[in-house]
Amino acid sequence: MPGSWGNARKGEVFLVSGHTGSAGVLSIVAWRLSRQGFRVHLLAPPPGRRGALEGLCRTVARRGDPAVSSWLLGYGIGGLFARGLAERPELGSRLRGIVTLGTPHRPTLAYPWRFWFRRFSARTTLGPRAPRDVEAVVLFSTFDASLVPLDSGYWPGAFHIRVHNVGHFGLLFSARAFRLVREQMEA
């Protein structure tokens, strides 16, 4: 399912899937963004592999247009991969911002994310704060069972948007959540 479509009238968006390793879960978000004028690239990090972040960085550099500003949008654990990509110097000044949906930025007690978070953290060093040179937005739900406790979704230095009564997978299908993401990317 990983691929690219849409035009880049408003910029590029690299969607990074979560722990399932399947970009298919992001297809509804990709479709909505492409209809709004973004060129969308679906990325699926190989779960549990060393060097996954480096591979994603090469893919972004190969697929992306250096002349177009880009956003990273990570869902679940994919938000941690997006954070790691945002800290890579290879992306240069073309990275405009990063959005995470339902990402545990701190250790979570929720199963199976607590194991993925521990494994990811052991293999990758992420900065404790959002990068200052890009916009960082965290969208989380008070009803997300992957964020236990709820403040595990907090990322210092990022702009936080809280929605109510939307589950973890519901963040992908919620019209309100999509509108909030789109508004941040178009601002």
Side-chain angles (χ1 to χ4, degrees):
M1 176 89 196
S4 304
W5 67 86
N7 62 46
R9 189 175 75 241
K10 293 184 180 177
E12 290 184 306
V13 180
F14 291 89
L15 300 178
V16 187
S17 64
H19 82 282
T20 62
S22 169
V25 298
L26 293 172
S27 60
I28 186 72
V29 177
W31 176 76
R32 286 174 166 172
L33 286 170
S34 67
R35 291 194 51 152
Q36 296 297 319
F38 290 96
R39 175 134 175 92
V40 180
H41 307 275
L42 288 172
L43 305 175
R49 281 210 189 129
R50 291 193 186 276
L53 193 58
E54 289 77 15
L56 284 176
C57 193
R58 284 191 300 274
T59 301
V60 169
R62 186 177 65 247
R63 282 196 200 169
D65 182 350
V68 177
S69 67
S70 301
W71 282 86
L72 295 169
L73 190 149
Y75 170 67
I77 296 296
L80 297 178
F81 280 101
R83 276 181 62 181
L85 286 170
E87 294 177 2
R88 300 298 295 246
E90 295 96 315
L91 295 182
S93 61
R94 68 182 243 207
L95 182 61
R96 180 164 172 216
I98 175 175
V99 175
T100 65
L101 299 173
T103 297
H105 292 283
R106 295 178 177 187
T108 180
L109 300 175
Y111 177 86
W113 290 272
R114 66 180 172 184
F115 302 112
W116 280 96
F117 186 88
R118 190 177 312 139
R119 187 181 313 165
F120 185 89
S121 298
R123 294 180 178 175
T124 309
T125 303
L126 294 176
R129 298 185 55 80
R132 294 177 191 266
D133 53 344
V134 298
E135 294 180 51
V137 180
V138 172
L139 190 109
F140 70 99
S141 172
T142 58
F143 196 63
D144 190 337
S146 70
L147 302 176
V148 179
L150 190 57
D151 68 350
S152 64
Y154 180 73
W155 184 19
F159 178 68
H160 293 79
I161 302 173
R162 177 177 51 201
V163 295
H164 298 283
N165 302 324
V166 178
H168 187 68
F169 287 107
L171 288 170
L172 299 174
F173 301 100
S174 166
R176 180 170 178 243
F178 175 75
R179 188 183 78 248
L180 292 166
V181 167
R182 189 191 75 226
E183 285 173 3
Q184 293 302 310
M185 291 181 174
E186 291 178 344

